[in-house]
Amino acid sequence: MNKFSIAIHGGAGTILKSAMTDELELAYRKGLQSALDAGYAVLEKGASSLEAVKQATIVLEDNILFNAGRGSVFTNKGLHEMDASIMNGFDLSAGAVAGVTKVRNPVELAYKVMTNSSHVLLCGEGADEFAREQNIKEEEGEYFFSQFRYNQWLDIRESGEYTLDHSDTKENGEKKFGTVGAVACDINGNIAAATSTGGMTNKKYGRAGDSPLIGCGTYANNKTCAISATGHGELFIKAVAAYDVSCLIEYKGLSLQEAMNIVVNDKLVKINGEGGMIGVDAKGNMALLFNCEGMYRGWKSSNGTDEVAIYR
Amino acid sequence: MNKFSIAIHGGAGTILKSAMTDELELAYRKGLQSALDAGYAVLEKGASSLEAVKQATIVLEDNILFNAGRGSVFTNKGLHEMDASIMNGFDLSAGAVAGVTKVRNPVELAYKVMTNSSHVLLCGEGADEFAREQNIKEEEGEYFFSQFRYNQWLDIRESGEYTLDHSDTKENGEKKFGTVGAVACDINGNIAAATSTGGMTNKKYGRAGDSPLIGCGTYANNKTCAISATGHGELFIKAVAAYDVSCLIEYKGLSLQEAMNIVVNDKLVKINGEGGMIGVDAKGNMALLFNCEGMYRGWKSSNGTDEVAIYR
């Protein structure tokens, strides 16, 4: 039996302990732990890494604290446009959606694109239409409402600016790249990755970041690694960040940790690509790295490891 | 002075000489030559590879024969949804649009995303909105109309099927991946790539292929290569095909030709990823490879090379 393991993230950035209350920190930790446990439970009963990353991501999407699914930030029009992707390292099958507006769990829709269509990426209204045909659960505006995010949006809506994240920069100097994701390796040595996000507060023009893009925010290949990224999406796209880790493993013979370290702490840093990523290989080894102050994260393995963390 | 060169493509696939009239073949060749000449003229006067690939792609978009811009195929709703991307190898700057419906030259909009926004990828209605703010030229339905493509669409619209391309499979057994693109190296050794497409006939659900995706259908980096791909988009996405060529050069020390040969004739073939790609490196070397019967293509260089071709 292969060592099985799962790692999750809930975004990265300038996460300052000084700006965090004990209550809020506890809520984040509880949210991370429950997602981690949900994914791990799937692995523990012998099911696939693909199912594990989907279930862990759904728990994060359902948590109002994280910028994905229910907790998605407001766009410039006061709506929510969500992106997600999922990839199976066993056969490179993949699915992704960009700019869906009503889907409760975008990662579930990405999964349906992978399994029930011959496509990889569906965008905008067309993706919402596919969701309805697939009987994917939709929600109305109030489901996605939180006073916290609404206030963030009110702060910047008139400025024409957008924030890279789901934080209130005015108040406390925080800067977060709000994304959630999971990677896992199951008892059969199959690996998978999933990523989901509400994108940038006050975003316009149907902007998509790296989260729905295979090779950029999400990638999985049993031969190399499964990766889910969180950070300044445009720069992760230019770096083709997730696949770059895979190539460093495949072509240079590096370990997951070595390859991810080069991409996160050297290549991305050189282009100001702030953020981080989580990864797993087919032996169940995990890596969680970020080049900023903090990353909401957790990792759990059949060897007994079970941790959640926020700061460095 | 660096050797300067440009290569273009107008799609790949099962292009059968038996199904081609002399007149049509001549029209394709003329279309390719004029795009090649337009891009080469830019390089010859010492301007950038970025401008050259944009101009060459615009000429192909304006030609009704190719599935991009004016010649874009019909979607399931009888509309046109176009995708394009452009990348500058000098600084990795990039822009892309997916699912724009009225823009005359999607590659020009992708260029504006790169130069006039802080984003890389804009999707759907939001991208059209950005186009209007940037005063990008739009066209109404009749501009995009051709009896040929309309007939293709009528043939399959009720079936729920889509075709991968802009060909009339019923009539002549052709199967084409309709995309256009260009790569170039300028006198300063800067390289760039652009890709544009109307996607699949009768496509639904806001499907996007590899053309608007940096790393998949388009990639450029002075250190390695500039690539524009054409083929079965979903499989080029799973292969992260364009960036894979770059990684084989960067991490394995292969030449452009060697790296592209591995991706096109081995890695893509193994996953049934039919299609091809064109590439250039910062020394002005070019490669044009495809794993199917033909690829509309042309290449021209300051060393005197000047060719267009369709079949193997």
Side-chain angles (χ1 to χ4, degrees), chain B residues 87-101:
Chain B
M87 188 164 185
N88 187 355
F90 174 69
D91 61 1
L92 302 183
S93 60
V97 292
V100 294
T101 57

Side-chain angles (χ1 to χ4, degrees), chain A:
Chain A
M1 193 179 76
N2 208 76
K3 179 170 85 176
F4 55 91
S5 47
I6 181 165
I8 60 164
H9 70 79
T14 311
I15 304 168
L16 301 173
K17 190 146 176 82
S18 56
M20 182 83 91
T21 63
D22 287 350
E23 289 76 13
L24 190 57
E25 182 169 331
L26 187 66
Y28 272 114
R29 286 180 175 276
K30 276 180 67 174
L32 290 167
Q33 189 68 54
S34 63
L36 196 58
D37 291 346
Y40 190 80
V42 172
L43 298 174
E44 207 168 24
K45 67 182 186 193
S48 72
S49 54
L50 190 66
E51 188 62 24
V53 298
K54 190 176 71 158
Q55 291 305 331
T57 304
I58 284 173
V59 172
L60 292 165
E61 284 178 339
D62 287 347
N63 188 326
I64 195 90
L65 288 174
F66 300 102
N67 176 17
R70 187 173 171 209
S72 291
V73 297
F74 285 86
T75 68
N76 182 257
K77 293 187 172 147
L79 303 171
H80 306 280
E81 288 174 8
M82 300 168 280
D83 309 325
S85 61
I86 190 165
M87 188 164 185
N88 186 355
F90 173 69
D91 60 1
L92 303 182
S93 60
V97 292
V100 295
T101 56
K102 291 188 161 188
V103 170
R104 182 185 171 105
N105 292 109
V107 73
E108 210 176 337
L109 182 59
Y111 179 83
K112 291 282 189 188
V113 172
M114 177 174 77
T115 56
N116 295 2
S117 88
S118 52
H119 301 311
V120 171
L121 175 59
L122 303 183
C123 302
E125 270 179 43
D128 277 318
E129 189 185 334
F130 180 74
R132 286 187 292 275
E133 286 188 22
Q134 296 290 319
N135 294 313
I136 290 281
K137 193 163 187 185
E138 297 197 327
E139 299 286 352
E140 294 305 315
E142 61 264 33
Y143 173 79
F144 300 101
F145 184 88
S146 74
Q147 197 63 47
F148 168 63
R149 300 227 182 283
Y150 190 69
N151 291 347
Q152 285 176 351
W153 176 57
L154 289 182
D155 281 347
I156 57 162
R157 65 185 289 200
E158 298 307 333
S159 68
E161 298 292 305
Y162 54 85
T163 50
L164 297 173
D165 45 64
H166 61 281
S167 60
D168 183 348
T169 47
K170 278 192 189 167
E171 252 176 43
N172 54 27
E174 286 202 327
K175 186 169 80 165
K176 282 180 226 151
F177 304 104
T179 310
V180 307
V183 295
C185 175
D186 61 33
I187 61 167
N188 297 309
N190 290 319
I191 61 177
T195 310
S196 181
T197 189
M200 293 175 165
T201 298
N202 207 36
K203 67 184 176 182
K204 291 171 78 171
Y205 308 130
R207 176 260 182 190
D210 62 318
S211 300
L213 303 186
I214 299 303
C216 299
T218 302
Y219 184 74
N221 185 339
N222 278 3
K223 271 169 60 184
T224 54
C225 59
I227 300 285
S228 172
T230 172
H232 191 155
E234 278 72 11
L235 298 161
F236 280 62
I237 294 173
K238 290 172 190 180
V240 199
Y243 190 59
D244 204 20
V245 177
S246 176
C247 285
L248 282 162
I249 295 171
E250 183 172 0
Y251 301 141
K252 299 277 269 187
L254 301 187
S255 71
L256 170 64
Q257 181 83 21
E258 290 166 338
M260 192 186 285
N261 188 47
I262 288 175
V263 174
V264 172
N265 290 318
D266 181 34
K267 296 186 80 167
L268 279 167
V269 168
K270 280 181 181 148
I271 61 169
N272 299 313
E274 221 179 322
M277 51 173 75
I278 57 173
V280 69
D281 67 20
K283 288 178 182 158
N285 300 310
M286 293 179 281
L288 301 91
L289 295 176
F290 48 100
N291 59 29
C292 44
E293 276 77 0
M295 179 164 78
Y296 296 104
R297 63 200 186 277
W299 60 107
K300 188 166 184 171
S301 166
S302 57
N303 71 5
T305 314
D306 186 359
E307 304 219 30
V308 299
I310 300 176
Y311 315 104
R312 261 196 194 281

Side-chain angles (χ1 to χ4, degrees), chain B residues 216-233:
Chain B
C216 300
T218 302
Y219 185 72
N221 185 339
N222 278 3
K223 271 169 60 183
T224 54
C225 60
I227 301 285
S228 172
T230 171
H232 192 155

